[in-house]
Structures are given as C-alpha cells and as structure tokens.
C-alpha cells in the first residue's frame, strides 16, 4: 500500500468546529509523575476521508499514522493500532475534549488547535 503524499493532505479549516488542522494536548500521567505533550495532525484527503498522525513531542518519536479516523460531528475517534492507543472526544468550541486509552488505562486529554502551523 502506498502512503498518500503530504501535498494531497488538506489541513485547512474554516471554523472552530472543523476537524482538520494541527492540534496539541498534554497527557498528565500522574502515577508516573510525567506530562507528555502530543501533537495530532488531522487532514482531509481528496476522497473526503480523514487522515491523522500523532507525535509525542517529549519522547522524540516519529509521526505515527492513525489506522482509524472517524468523525460523526461532534464525536471524534482516533486509533493507533501500532501502539494500542485510542482517543475518543467531542469537538466543541474549537477544542476536542475526551479520553486517551492505552494499556488498559484512560487519561483525560484536551486537544487545542496549534495556531503556529
């Protein structure tokens, strides 16, 4: 399977409740005393479907492509099979608020649009 080229990905948005864009949030892993900043990039593809990647800014990793991106306004579901993680949230007032699930645990996560992109 070929990977879609970056230039076909559309990150533009026209309002606060449009899903495409560059988003950032922080996972507060209290039991480990760690805060992890995440960058989530969501693009609209030419066929109308969505594509997403995630980067853990504090762990220095590479972009991880999501294998599932579902958007039934206002509900958002993103899944990363490679790391066994998922995010379920609601897009309201320009923020996606929900829960990150990985390894049997759940943590609150709020993604806000990164306006520097």
């Amino acid at each position: 399977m070929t990977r879609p080229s970056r230039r076909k990905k559309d990150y533009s948005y026209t309002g606060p409740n449009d899903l495409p864009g560059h988003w950032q949030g922080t996972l507060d892993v209290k039991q480990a005393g760690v805060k992890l900043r995440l960058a989530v990039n969501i693009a609209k593809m030419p066929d109308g479907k969505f594509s997403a990647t995630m980067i853990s800014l504090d762990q220095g990793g590479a972009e991880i492509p999501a294998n599932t991106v579902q958007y039934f306004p206002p509900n958002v579901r993103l899944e990363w099979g490679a790391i066994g993680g998922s995010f379920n949230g609601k897009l309201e007032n320009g923020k996606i608020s929900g829960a990150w699930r990985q390894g049997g645990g759940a943590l609150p996560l709020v993604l806000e649009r990164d306006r520097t992109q």
Side-chain angles (χ1 to χ4, degrees):
M1 180 160 73
T2 60
R3 188 174 172 169
S5 73
R6 196 166 202 29
R7 68 177 181 261
K8 292 182 182 177
K9 294 181 178 184
D10 183 3
Y11 294 97
S12 64
Y13 57 94
T14 58
N17 294 325
D18 282 350
L19 184 60
H22 303 281
W23 301 86
Q24 287 198 6
T26 302
L27 283 174
D28 188 354
V29 188
K30 291 182 179 157
Q31 65 268 28
V34 175
K35 290 187 179 191
L36 297 173
R37 294 174 300 136
L38 302 177
V40 177
N41 302 305
I42 302 172
K44 191 165 194 175
M45 304 303 291
D47 64 3
K49 294 180 181 177
F50 292 99
S51 169
T53 61
M54 179 183 60
I55 304 167
S56 176
L57 300 172
D58 296 313
Q59 292 177 315
E63 274 187 298
I64 303 168
N67 56 305
T68 300
V69 181
Q70 296 175 335
Y71 182 49
F72 301 102
N75 300 307
V76 178
R77 176 160 178 82
L78 307 170
E79 294 179 11
W80 287 270
I83 60 170
S86 66
F87 175 69
N88 288 305
K90 284 190 176 192
L91 174 54
E92 296 176 317
N93 302 315
K95 294 182 183 181
I96 308 173
S97 301
W100 170 262
R101 298 185 187 284
Q102 187 176 20
L107 296 170
L109 178 61
V110 176
L111 297 173
E112 296 187 50
R113 208 173 287 281
D114 179 357
R115 303 208 185 268
T116 63
Q117 293 281 334

